[in-house]
Amino acid sequence: MSLSNRAVVYKGPGKVAVENIEYPDLVLRDGPGVNPLNVGRKCDHGVILKVIATNICGSDQHMVRGRTTAPSGLVLGHEITGEVIEVGSDVEFMKVGDIVSVPFNIACGRCRNCKSQDTHICTNVNPDRPGSAYGYVDMGGWVGGQSEYVMVPYADFQLLKFPDKEQALDKIQDLTMLSDIFPTGFHGAFSAGVGIGSTVYVAGAGPVGLAAAHSAQLLGASVVIVGDLIEERLEQARSFGCETVNLSKHDRLGEQIEQILGVPEVDCAVDAVGFEASGHGPGSGEAPATVLNSVMTVTRAGGRLGIPGLYVTGDPGGIDDDAKEGTLKIRIGLGWAKAHHFVTGQTPVMKYHEFLMKAILSEKAQIAKAVNATVISLDEAPSGYEVFDKGAAKKFIIDPHGVIRKRTAAAKDAIKMS
């Protein structure tokens, strides 16, 4: 087996590069961002994966823009789908050759929170705070998966094995969304209380917002309205039946919703934007509390708000001293007066990924189409980051070994011959 391993590495604000890194083993070694208390941690409960698909996430972009305290040299990537090529001595149920989805939350399966299905706030994997993820700032230092190979701990507990390898490879562009954005979008819609006949507002038409909108449709919403500043992204939302509001042109969200629904409010709302929010209307600049305040304004009294959008405790690029430490001017009095219910934090992927997998395999969910999945090579990752940062209506899937493109080419050849 070759011991080479190439990966996407954060090199400082606005810069990523593809570099050679160490081939993984079943120990968490020292490196950029690794908490000293995690160095040398043995992972005989883990596996080594050959990465089949690994995606660029909006959360990665926050780091690449320099809007977090991520260190230079951090290996990026928390959306991982791969083939098991090595198993640790404590692994019982995962086998070499299995194709698996990796939840972006790293979870031990042993602590109180994991036993309560709150795998997004595991207390045993990150000495800094509850909760962890691959290739992410302040998350314990677990090496990211935008690479050719990666180590995944606690494999028996965490990994979602696909039941049929060939079927999985046929649907890999949908299934790779199970590591993060499909469960995250679903969590936003589900925790907002979306049900049969609900009217829903989704703030943000990036991949998570589009996944939330598609999830709201799966949950039975009657109308899903998506707001964004970029027309190309709104066009993508309209492509699968959403109503849209271009917030670069309008600053009165309630009036825009009233034009669609006849009333200026919705039953449920999802914040899929997070802390790098912009004000609404022509010429508006960054205003990090805008989305939270606007969704409270347009959600009916007694409604629920799902908030999968990322908010951080440290933002070097914040617009003022408060924003730099995650202190925002939120109208909590409005939310209190309207008896709103808020759900925040990382998504507990394992609550959702198995039944969302079944929805994909039964063709009830078309998540790759909804988010405009676009396959690129590992070497194309830096340009993918650049294009995505400009607001492209695409979800970039990195194909480190060319497996997806070879599969797609073979399928096209088969169609031509039939």
Side-chain angles (χ1 to χ4, degrees):
M1 177 183 296
S2 171
L3 296 182
S4 65
N5 190 22
R6 300 169 71 236
V8 181
V9 178
Y10 172 62
K11 303 298 289 183
K15 299 177 183 178
V16 299
V18 178
E19 296 183 350
N20 291 315
I21 65 169
E22 289 188 4
Y23 185 87
D25 58 11
L26 297 173
V27 178
L28 181 52
R29 307 290 184 185
D30 197 7
V34 180
N35 188 293
L37 296 176
N38 262 351
V39 174
R41 188 167 179 162
K42 294 183 179 180
C43 297
D44 293 330
H45 43 65
V47 299
I48 307 299
L49 297 183
K50 175 184 177 181
V51 177
I52 294 174
T54 177
N55 313 325
I56 298 176
C57 181
S59 297
D60 299 321
Q61 288 284 25
H62 293 307
M63 290 188 292
V64 172
R65 292 187 192 112
R67 297 300 296 268
T68 73
T69 55
S72 179
L74 186 72
V75 178
L76 299 171
H78 56 269
E79 301 189 13
I80 308 165
T81 307
E83 179 181 1
V84 177
I85 60 172
E86 181 183 339
V87 299
S89 59
D90 291 345
V91 177
E92 185 176 358
F93 303 111
M94 294 295 155
K95 307 298 181 186
V96 171
D98 288 345
I99 306 292
V100 297
S101 177
V102 183
F104 79 88
N105 326 107
I106 302 172
C108 71
R110 298 154 167 81
C111 70
R112 176 180 178 178
N113 289 341
C114 284
K115 290 178 180 179
S116 301
Q117 286 194 303
D118 292 323
T119 54
H120 57 311
I121 44 175
C122 174
T123 58
N124 284 335
V125 291
N126 182 5
D128 289 324
R129 65 185 72 173
S132 189
Y134 304 89
Y136 210 82
V137 60
D138 295 333
M139 289 292 182
W142 300 89
V143 179
Q146 288 178 11
S147 55
E148 294 176 309
Y149 302 93
V150 68
M151 187 268 283
V152 174
Y154 303 104
D156 280 334
F157 175 66
Q158 295 191 100
L159 295 180
L160 176 65
K161 177 184 172 181
F162 300 137
D164 181 271
K165 187 171 183 177
E166 291 302 309
Q167 183 187 35
L169 291 172
D170 284 341
K171 292 188 173 293
I172 197 67
Q173 293 189 46
D174 291 285
L175 293 172
T176 191
M177 306 303 168
L178 292 172
S179 59
D180 183 354
I181 68 159
F182 197 9
T184 294
F186 189 91
H187 178 62
F190 183 78
S191 60
V194 178
I196 300 296
S198 296
T199 56
V200 186
Y201 174 67
V202 178
V208 169
L210 296 172
H214 185 46
S215 297
Q217 294 172 332
L218 293 173
L219 287 165
S222 59
V223 182
V224 179
I225 304 169
V226 179
D228 201 279
L229 304 168
I230 299 174
E231 185 59 32
E232 181 185 352
R233 289 186 168 190
L234 294 173
E235 184 178 349
Q236 180 62 28
R238 291 191 293 270
S239 74
F240 59 96
C242 299
E243 301 286 343
T244 61
V245 175
N246 189 326
L247 295 168
S248 70
K249 300 178 180 179
H250 308 288
D251 62 356
R252 298 182 182 273
L253 178 59
E255 292 181 3
Q256 302 304 310
I257 289 175
E258 186 171 19
Q259 290 182 15
I260 296 169
L261 298 178
V263 292
E265 63 181 15
V266 291
D267 297 317
C268 323
V270 179
D271 171 4
V273 177
F275 73 103
E276 285 194 73
S278 174
H280 298 167
S284 295
E286 186 168 320
T290 295
V291 171
L292 290 172
N293 290 329
S294 65
V295 295
M296 285 190 282
T297 300
V298 301
T299 301
R300 68 173 180 84
R304 297 165 66 98
L305 311 176
I307 308 173
L310 176 67
Y311 289 88
V312 296
T313 56
D315 173 12
I319 61 173
D320 54 34
D321 289 341
D322 284 340
K324 288 178 181 179
E325 63 175 21
T327 300
L328 309 181
K329 295 179 180 179
I330 299 168
R331 296 184 63 196
I332 192 64
L334 175 62
W336 189 93
K338 297 178 78 172
H340 283 156
H341 183 104
F342 298 79
V343 177
T344 67
Q346 287 187 36
T347 296
V349 169
M350 293 178 67
K351 277 189 179 180
Y352 308 110
H353 66 175
E354 185 166 3
F355 68 75
L356 292 177
M357 174 189 72
K358 293 176 181 178
I360 289 170
L361 295 179
S362 65
E363 299 189 356
K364 295 295 189 294
Q366 307 289 333
I367 185 64
K369 180 180 178 181
V371 301
N372 193 19
T374 303
V375 179
I376 60 176
S377 69
L378 188 63
D379 288 322
E380 292 172 312
S383 62
Y385 269 94
E386 184 177 350
V387 172
F388 187 40
D389 189 50
K390 293 177 180 177
K394 297 178 179 181
K395 176 66 174 178
F396 285 109
I397 302 171
I398 300 172
D399 180 13
H401 297 277
V403 172
I404 302 173
R405 284 164 295 172
K406 290 175 185 175
R407 190 90 179 180
T408 301
K412 289 180 179 178
D413 289 343
I415 291 172
K416 290 178 181 179
M417 294 176 63
S418 62

